[in-house]
Amino acid sequence: MAHKDWYVEGPAFGNCNCGYSCPCQFEEDPTQGNCRGYEVMEITKGHFEDLDLTGLKVAVLYAWPGPIYEGNGEMQLIIDPAASPAQRAALETVLTGGETDEEATHWWVFRAMCPTLHDTVFESIDFTSDMEARTASVKIGNVLTSSGRPIKPPHGDGEHRVRIDMPNGIEFSVAEIGNASTKGTTAISLDLTDSYGQWHFMKHGPRGVVH
C-alpha cells in the first residue's frame, strides 16, 4: 500500500511503570500487570510530504489496564504549540500510526490497542536529554514533569549501565536504560517513581524503524 512520504528522527526519552528490565521489551507481561507511561521526542529532522517538521517537539501518553496486546487502552498526544495547523495535522497522523504499514511502528501498535484517543494537548515542551549519560529533564507546560538518571546499584556507589538492542524493533534499534520518574495531570495521569527509563534516537518512516 502506498503511503504519503514522511520521516522523523531525533532524541527520545520515555518512562513507564515497569521495573528497569521492562518485560514488554521481551514479549512478557508488564511488571505491575498493567502499562502506563509516556515518551517525548524532539524532531531534529523531519517532514510530512513537503511540510517541514524539523524543530518541533511531541509527546505521547498511554495507559492499558493489562498488557498492551490485550488492548482496551487510552492514548493522548501533546504537540508543540508552535506547530502550524498543517504541522499539527501531520503529527497527529504520524503519532497515531497513520500513513504507516501495519504493525511497522510502536505508534501504529499503540493506536490499534487504544480504542480511546483523548483530545490532543498543545503545551510548550521543554526537553533536554543526554543518551550517553542517561539523563533527561522534561517540563510540559503545567501538565507534566519528568526526569531521568542512571541506575544506581543497591550495594554501592557508581552507575549501572544497560542497553537493549533490537535489530528488528518497531520502536528503536538500541536504547539506553535508566531510572526515571514522572508526574502528569492530563486525561492520562501519571505518577511514576524510580521506574523504567528509556533513551534512544528515534528514526521512523512509513515502513517502520530505519535501523
Side-chain angles (χ1 to χ4, degrees), residues 184-203:
T185 59
T186 67
I188 299 177
S189 62
L190 297 174
D191 187 5
L192 310 175
T193 303
D194 294 332
S195 56
Y196 178 83
Q198 173 183 293
W199 290 253
H200 65 100
F201 194 81
M202 187 94 74
K203 292 184 177 183

Side-chain angles (χ1 to χ4, degrees), residues 62 79 95 105 144 191:
Y62 48 83
I79 295 177
L95 295 171
T105 69
L144 186 145
D191 187 5

Side-chain angles (χ1 to χ4, degrees), residues 40-41 43 53 56-61 76-96 119-125 140-141 143:
V40 60
M41 174 191 184
I43 301 173
L53 301 176
L56 297 174
K57 296 175 184 177
V58 297
V60 181
L61 290 77
Q76 187 169 36
L77 311 180
I78 302 178
I79 295 177
D80 189 335
S84 69
Q87 288 172 321
R88 293 180 181 190
L91 289 169
E92 286 180 322
T93 296
V94 167
L95 295 171
T96 56
D119 290 343
T120 300
V121 172
F122 299 98
E123 288 278 1
S124 60
I125 300 174
I140 302 179
V143 301

